């Protein structure tokens, strides 16, 4: 049984053993615990047959061992099954092995860390980066053995032992070597918020470098002079092939290319900061980046999820993989990609509002990036639909009465995703721009304050608003001097931010006061 690292505090599931003699009368029942061997022994008799069950658990070896025997040959027979309240997949690999694996590196683990940076909790990412380090070690072997490639790779599913190889079951889960690459985008994000050059040089860049090395090797020549990924899937989704049959594997899905573009961009920017722009890897990326396929718009004016405009048999699928470039990525922006953003909005309308909690919060963040407060707020309402405890419901998502998000059952990723999405509604940033209240639902939240949000460029921001309008904003940076463009609605102001100085602005973005931090 393999558990996912972000849910190790939850029981993964149950091992169920059903014996044909379970309902028969028994006697001479005895249970012993040997403290010297840490072994539990249970004996009982059914008729003339004595049964013995021995149990041993080792935390250092991460194993639970059970031995079942009888004093008469041919008397031990049972049916074994695995069950879990968590989303899972059970696979019979052979007559002696049943595997339960719990997803996923295609959104769930990543979403748990979405609020860490904008909500000023960057130290909470340290366990993720430690996990990434272990993934890179195992992923190096996977790249070499499975792909004859350099660098490192991780697929759809991992666990607390940093599993990096492909998933065993359905191709739409297995053929997706982008799990590690997506996780690597968190490394560059951490630097953008913290400007911690030591972290970038000693932790982030070596992992990014190894990931990008695999991606360069993985790309092959495709149609029209573009580079492509092949085989390729859009996580957990399928399409109708030209022969009318269901399929999930094609080439160069939009998510593949979007993640690769983010990683390549992160490596180039990191190399520039660290003075490593003359390496062979950087040169190869500079050659490869302009050859990546562009995002394509389908006949119905939505974002194409696959390289070809296949028919989608499940238009309201829970995943939003093809919209990665807008959020959590940054290669699609309202300022630079108006037509693409319009197609993103059409894609969100097509996907609909229903879905599990994590899907709802992803939609909330996407609408926030489109500066669409009305639809972002509609997803807030969708998420806070009450799910009665212990009752079957006819919809996915919602909240339990303790405010934990329902998948169902409970998944913590949606709680963290919700926090990140709310932060996006109140503050967005690039390395040089700050957007105040970009997706505030003014008529629903007419007044309020938020303090201590963090923006890229190591800037901390407090915002207050009243009657649906900005009242005041304060910002400061601890570590650097920079020029920042401040945005509120149609207003834009340019500000030179000096390290250790607090600046206070009114709704017209006029600087009212500046003072030394700490006074």
């Amino acid at each position: 049984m393999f558990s996912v690292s972000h849910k190790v505090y939850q029981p993964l599931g149950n091992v169920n053993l059903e014996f044909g003699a379970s309902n028969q009368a028994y006697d001479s029942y005895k249970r012993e615990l040997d403290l010297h061997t840490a072994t539990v022994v249970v004996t009982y008799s059914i008729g003339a047959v004595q049964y013995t069950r021995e149990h041993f658990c080792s935390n250092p070896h991460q194993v639970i061992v059970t031995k079942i025997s009888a004093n008469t040959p041919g008397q031990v027979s049972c049916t074994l099954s695995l069950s879990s309240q968590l989303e899972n997949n059970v696979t019979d690999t052979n007559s002696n092995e049943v595997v339960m694996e719990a997803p996923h590196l295609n959104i769930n683990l990543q979403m748990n860390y979405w609020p860490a940076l904008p909500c000023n909790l960057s130290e909470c990412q340290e366990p993720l980066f430690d996990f990434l380090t272990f993934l890179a070690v195992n992923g190096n072997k996977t790249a070499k053995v499975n792909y004859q490639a350099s660098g490192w790779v991780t697929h759809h599913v991992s666990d607390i032992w940093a599993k990096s190889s492909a998933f065993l079951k359905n191709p739409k889960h297995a053929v997706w070597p982008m799990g590690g690459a997506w996780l690597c985008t968190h490394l560059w994000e951490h630097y953008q918020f913290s400007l911690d050059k030591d972290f970038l040089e000693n932790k982030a860049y070596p992992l990014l470098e190894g990931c990008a090395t695999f991606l360069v090797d993985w790309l092959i020549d495709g149609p029209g002079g573009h580079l492509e990924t092949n085989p390729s899937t859009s996580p957990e989704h399928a399409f109708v092939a030209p022969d009318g049959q269901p399929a999930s594997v094609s080439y160069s899905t939009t998510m593949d290319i979007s993640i690769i573009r983010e990683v390549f961009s992160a490596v180039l920017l990191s190399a520039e900061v660290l003075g490593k722009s003359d390496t062979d890897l950087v040169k190869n990326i500079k050659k490869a980046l302009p050859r990546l396929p562009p995002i394509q718009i389908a006949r119905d004016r939505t974002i194409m999820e696959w390289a070809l405009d296949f028919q989608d048999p499940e238009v309201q699928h829970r995943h939003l993989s093809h919209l990665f470039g807008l959020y959590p990525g940054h290669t699609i922006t309202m300022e630079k990609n108006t037509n693409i953003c319009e197609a993103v909005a059409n894609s969100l309308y097509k996907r609909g509002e229903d879905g599990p909690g994590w899907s709802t919060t992803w939609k909330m963040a996407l609408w926030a990036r489109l500066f669409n407060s009305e639809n972002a707020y509609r997803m807030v309402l969708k998420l806070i639909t009450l799910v009665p405890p212990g009752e079957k419901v006819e919809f996915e998502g919602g909240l339990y009465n303790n405010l934990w998000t329902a998948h169902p059952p409970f998944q913590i990723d949606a709680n963290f995703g919700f926090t990140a999405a709310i932060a996006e509604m109140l503050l967005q940033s690039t390395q040089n721009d700050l957007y105040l209240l970009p997706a505030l639902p003014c008529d629903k939240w007419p007044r309020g304050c938020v303090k201590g949000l963090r923006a890229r460029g190591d800037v901390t921001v407090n915002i207050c608003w009243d009657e649906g309008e900005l009242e005041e904003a304060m910002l400061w940076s601890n570590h650097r001097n920079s020029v920042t463009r401040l945005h509120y609605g149609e207003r834009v102001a340019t500000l030179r931010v000096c390290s250790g100085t607090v600046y206070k602005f009114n709704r017209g973005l006029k600087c009212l006061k500046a003072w030394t931090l700490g006074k």
Side-chain angles (χ1 to χ4, degrees), residues 39 75 171 267 282 365 476 502:
T39 303
Q75 295 299 312
V267 171
V282 169
W476 62 93
V502 182

Side-chain angles (χ1 to χ4, degrees), residues 334-395:
M334 288 286 287
E335 292 79 9
K336 296 179 181 179
N337 312 100
T338 305
N339 291 338
I340 296 293
C341 286
E342 182 181 341
V344 169
N346 293 337
S347 299
L348 285 168
Y349 286 123
K350 184 177 179 178
R351 273 300 200 257
E353 297 182 350
D354 294 332
W358 59 263
S359 178
T360 302
T361 58
W362 195 354
K363 292 170 185 173
M364 192 189 311
L366 285 162
W367 281 122
R369 280 277 171 94
L370 293 173
F371 302 160
N372 190 316
S373 60
E374 180 181 354
N375 282 318
Y377 183 72
R378 284 176 62 84
M379 301 316 298
V380 172
L381 296 181
K382 196 74 178 178
L383 186 72
I384 61 176
T385 302
L386 180 65
V387 177
E391 295 184 20
K392 292 286 186 180
V393 294
E394 296 181 355
F395 61 89

